Amino acid sequence: MPILSEAPQGDVPPPSPHFDPPSADALWELINSPHPVVGAARHLGEALVNAGMVRAAALADALQLQRQERAHGVHRLIGQILVGGGVLTQEQLRQVIAAWLGDYVVDPGQLHPDDSALALVPRQVAERESVLPLLARDDALVVLVVDPLDRVLLDELRFLTQRRLIALRAAPGTLAPAIAKAYAVHPGDSQNALRPGAAPGSAARASAQELAGSLDGGAPDGAAEAADVVNESDNTLVRLVNSLISEAIAQRASDIHIETEMPPQPVRIRLRIDGELRPYLELPARYRFALVARIKIMATMDISEHRKPQDGKIDFSRFGGPPVELRVVTVPTSRGLEDVVLRLLAGAKPLPLDGIGLSAANLKSLRRVVQKSYGLVLVCGPTGCGKTTTLHSVISDINTTGRKIWTAEDPIEITQSGLRQVQMNPRIGWTFASAMRTFLRADPDVIMIGEMRDEETARIAIEASLTGHLVLSTLHTNSAPESIARLLEIGLDPFNFSDSLLAILAQRLVRRLCKACRVAQALDEAQLDELAEQYLASTPDSGSSAREQQVARWRGQYGDAAGQLVRWRAVGCAQCEHDGYHGRLGIHELMLSDDTIRQHIRHRAPANEIRHSALAAGMRTLRQDGIEKVLQGLTDMSEVLAATNL
């Protein structure tokens, strides 16, 4: 990229796009060299006439109007008067001003800002506002910014520096590294070695180490950090990012967290695997800008914007990887840095309904409910607990050629043939509520709504479920009984709601014990009594006789020939990377609607009363389902206690 070039201005010839040497004096000389046609004008009005945008008579009339307005205390610029009078457009005015002042695009990579200019703008302001002071001459200060027409920023800088400002446009993606380089106080602090995460024995991670090692290029620590600039298009960095994503997919990660720090702190990369964040790699701090810029390029984001958060998506198959989509979020942090979180959205087929961890009783009941032709089925739980996966498993169980199924999702994480899946876009008014209204005119049999976020969406969903459609949706609540209270609180009609509701499934995800290294421990009578007490804590009857009956049932269902019960614990081995867990499974709470539940809804009963009635009808709470899975050897008690309240 040339160090300096002028933005195109139609028929107005630009100055030379290069200058040599890349010095501050050369830049100042070029800025002050007048344009042969427009730049030679002393005033904007003269520049407009020279450019052929305004006739001399029209300019004279505008100047006369300006003098009259000023006599009455009204102060308008001549450009505003001409645009307001329809003499020229705002875009024509902008083009002439740009040519008059010199709307240059500057790559600061080889420039050395004046110390006197840097002293006028504190580092905190420069990093926060993405501004680089270049030159201080007489009463003028030349600054490099993202948008030279940002009047609010220029007014702030003018007040701060008490100088006349000349704002130049920075080449995309160059400003943040240049600011860090210009304000660097200790350029020698560097960490050149890329360090692996805590978990040993990963061949894929060794590959990432090799790629990261080649990024250093053997440069001495001081020289590498002094440059503080790594090109985001560097071939090795591109391969490293691709390798990072590929290895995250191979290790079943759900999220990639990239956390940037100022030198000497390294860039930290962590992976969320089975719900737990694990250290993965650390990169030298000088890669903090290039790594973020590379991901922005892959996600088609604005690489020149560092002050605002951005959202985007990466179709990894476009870069030679498997067909996986990544949702990308950038978050501005302190001192002009940015963090990035990538969520892996594998476009794979949904899991079968009998493969998501439902107990035999819950699986049978849920399958019976979703075969009905109309009604409302909800899946509730916190973010990341697998609600969408469960909904797609339910839909795959009823996805036949005889059903028309519409889904409204944000984002579309799982795809399957036979569905008509719609991506939400709130920016243009395409919301869940508007999608529901559209679906109802499109002859659906089954409608899936990604989330009930407001009263309007919930009301339309209930109306749809009462008019011959099966409606599936999710809700952010802690338990099935609390979901009813939440929906009533946001203003739903209790009679319509009670008639439409079929079932509510609450769920959590717990880590699955590694079968290769788990160890069994026999449970004695005291431990069994304590486990039974935890199991019955949410029921009205938790006395000694009820606990004895519960233990007897467990002995017959999960015990060996002698009735001995065991509890498994995590150990750790090479297969699970010495973590003791491998994969996750769901624990569930399925509440079916019956006459008693409907009466509770109509009378707006509290969640505790609804829970007691559901337990009496055979519902098993999240903790109870988790304890059953502990006795089956699928998980351990610490996981269940961490994921549940009752």
Side-chain angles (χ1 to χ4, degrees):
M1 177 182 290
I3 295 172
L4 185 80
S5 63
E6 186 175 8
Q9 303 293 346
D11 296 331
V12 180
S16 172
H18 302 278
F19 71 95
D20 191 31
S23 65
D25 291 333
L27 177 61
W28 179 252
E29 181 180 349
L30 189 57
I31 290 172
N32 286 277
S33 61
H35 192 281
V37 176
V38 179
R42 292 176 300 170
H43 306 289
L44 175 59
E46 185 180 351
L48 289 167
V49 173
N50 291 347
M53 295 288 185
V54 177
R55 294 182 181 274
L59 176 62
D61 292 342
L63 290 172
Q64 178 65 25
L65 177 60
Q66 186 183 51
R67 287 191 291 269
Q68 293 174 358
E69 289 182 346
R70 286 181 176 176
H72 294 84
V74 178
H75 298 274
R76 281 202 299 165
L77 299 175
I78 189 66
Q80 294 174 332
I81 295 174
L82 291 169
V83 172
V87 178
L88 77 163
T89 66
Q90 188 71 44
E91 179 60 24
Q92 289 173 327
L93 176 64
R94 191 201 67 80
Q95 290 180 4
V96 173
I97 292 175
W100 182 44
L101 299 179
D103 189 7
Y104 300 118
V105 177
V106 179
D107 183 347
Q110 301 179 48
L111 289 173
H112 301 287
D114 286 353
D115 292 340
S116 58
L118 295 173
L120 292 171
V121 180
R123 178 170 187 161
Q124 293 83 352
V125 176
E127 290 173 339
R128 185 184 73 240
E129 302 295 347
S130 289
V131 55
L132 176 61
L134 289 178
L135 309 171
R137 295 290 189 274
D138 300 326
D139 67 334
L141 175 65
V142 181
V143 294
L144 200 58
V145 295
V146 174
D147 181 11
L149 302 180
D150 187 342
R151 180 178 292 273
V152 175
L153 172 60
L154 296 183
D155 287 344
E156 178 184 346
L157 292 174
R158 193 177 293 110
F159 177 80
L160 175 68
T161 62
Q162 296 297 303
R163 296 290 184 104
R164 176 173 60 88
L165 291 181
I166 301 175
L168 304 180
R169 189 185 306 276
T174 63
L175 197 50
I179 293 172
K181 174 184 174 183
Y183 283 94
V185 179
H186 302 291
D189 294 338
S190 168
Q191 299 182 33
N192 289 316
L194 186 149
R195 298 185 292 275
S202 171
R205 189 165 304 181
S207 173
Q209 282 185 340
E210 294 172 359
L211 288 170
S214 64
L215 277 174
D216 293 331
D221 290 358
E225 191 60 45
D228 202 28
V229 176
V230 179
N231 194 332
E232 65 272 2
S233 61
D234 181 275
N235 183 57
T236 307
L237 179 62
V238 170
R239 290 166 55 206
L240 175 64
V241 173
N242 291 346
S243 177
L244 168 65
I245 296 174
S246 297
E247 292 166 15
I249 295 170
Q251 297 196 29
R252 303 172 293 102
S254 61
D255 301 88
I256 303 172
H257 290 251
I258 299 174
E259 301 160 350
T260 59
E261 297 284 354
M262 294 297 293
Q265 298 298 320
V267 177
R268 183 169 62 165
I269 301 175
R270 295 192 287 172
L271 303 182
R272 188 177 294 279
I273 301 174
D274 295 337
E276 296 289 322
L277 272 177
R278 302 181 186 178
Y280 188 69
L281 293 176
E282 287 184 356
L283 286 169
R286 65 180 178 277
Y287 301 117
R288 61 194 181 277
F289 298 119
L291 183 61
V292 174
R294 174 57 192 167
I295 293 172
K296 285 184 177 181
I297 290 172
M298 296 174 71
T300 63
M301 295 178 175
D302 182 1
I303 65 172
S304 65
E305 179 57 68
H306 307 280
R307 298 171 295 174
K308 297 188 298 185
Q310 297 187 65
D311 297 318
K313 288 184 179 179
I314 297 174
D315 180 2
F316 195 45
S317 62
R318 292 177 49 238
F319 303 92
V324 174
E325 189 174 65
L326 296 95
R327 184 171 62 192
V328 183
V329 177
T330 65
V331 183
T333 57
S334 61
R335 306 188 69 178
L337 299 177
E338 293 175 280
D339 279 13
V340 182
V341 178
L342 300 93
R343 169 153 289 188
L344 282 71
L345 310 173
K349 294 182 179 179
L351 296 172
L353 190 57
D354 54 5
I356 63 174
L358 287 165
S359 65
N362 284 342
L363 176 62
K364 181 179 178 181
S365 298
L366 186 59
R367 271 189 167 144
R368 184 180 69 251
V369 164
V370 298
Q371 289 298 330
K372 296 186 177 182
S373 59
Y374 63 90
L376 177 66
V377 177
L378 299 173
V379 180
C380 66
T383 301
C385 73
K387 299 185 296 297
T388 301
T389 301
T390 297
L391 279 182
H392 273 279
S393 297
V394 169
I395 289 177
S396 69
D397 212 52
I398 60 175
N399 185 9
T400 63
T401 56
R403 285 191 176 95
K404 181 63 174 285
I405 304 176
W406 287 99
T407 75
E409 303 173 68
D410 187 21
I412 298 175
E413 300 183 22
I414 300 174
T415 59
Q416 53 178 305
S417 60
L419 303 188
R420 310 312 302 154
Q421 296 179 263
V422 178
Q423 170 69 51
M424 296 295 94
N425 190 351
R427 294 179 181 177
I428 62 172
W430 186 232
T431 62
F432 287 115
S434 58
M436 281 289 298
R437 286 190 289 266
T438 302
F439 290 169
L440 291 176
R441 297 191 294 269
D443 189 29
D445 294 300
V446 180
I447 298 174
M448 187 191 100
I449 299 297
E451 183 183 346
M452 284 189 177
R453 295 179 177 174
D454 50 54
E455 186 270 339
E456 183 182 14
T457 304
R459 178 178 50 78
I460 299 173
I462 289 174
E463 291 175 359
S465 67
L466 291 172
T467 54
H469 309 95
L470 179 64
V471 180
L472 311 172
S473 187
T474 69
L475 201 63
H476 283 107
T477 50
N478 292 324
S479 66
E482 289 178 24
S483 301
I484 293 176
R486 172 72 58 82
L487 289 172
L488 291 175
E489 285 173 0
I490 66 175
L492 292 185
D493 179 72
F495 292 93
N496 287 341
F497 182 30
S498 63
D499 289 340
S500 67
L501 183 64
L502 295 177
I504 301 177
L505 178 71
Q507 73 175 51
R508 299 290 189 277
L509 290 178
V510 294
R511 291 186 291 175
R512 188 188 295 267
L513 287 171
C514 175
K515 293 183 179 179
C517 61
R518 62 179 182 175
V519 174
Q521 292 178 323
L523 292 170
D524 57 27
E525 293 299 327
Q527 291 173 324
L528 283 171
D529 187 70
E530 180 183 356
L531 196 63
E533 185 177 359
Q534 289 179 324
Y535 188 92
L536 299 172
S538 58
T539 62
D541 184 11
S542 58
S544 58
S545 61
R547 295 198 298 271
E548 291 174 1
Q549 293 176 8
Q550 186 60 48
V551 171
R553 186 180 69 81
W554 285 340
R555 291 186 188 278
Q557 192 169 359
Y558 305 117
D560 57 15
Q564 178 62 52
L565 291 167
V566 298
R567 184 166 58 186
W568 302 80
R569 65 178 179 87
V571 177
C573 64
Q575 186 170 328
C576 61
E577 294 191 347
H578 301 276
D579 189 50
Y581 303 92
H582 187 78
R584 290 192 289 179
L585 78 153
I587 56 176
H588 303 90
E589 175 181 284
L590 179 63
M591 186 182 74
L592 302 175
S593 181
D594 55 19
D595 289 339
T596 304
I597 299 298
R598 283 191 284 271
Q599 287 297 323
H600 283 318
I601 296 174
R602 289 166 184 167
H603 291 91
R604 299 180 180 272
N608 281 337
E609 289 186 21
I610 299 174
R611 177 182 293 108
H612 290 157
S613 297
L615 288 170
M619 182 187 80
R620 183 182 293 168
T621 67
L622 287 164
R623 178 162 294 182
Q624 289 174 342
D625 191 55
I627 292 175
E628 299 275 348
K629 290 180 169 69
V630 167
L631 294 173
Q632 295 174 47
L634 300 176
T635 187
D636 60 16
M637 200 60 197
S638 62
E639 285 290 304
V640 173
L641 293 176
T644 61
N645 294 325
L646 287 175

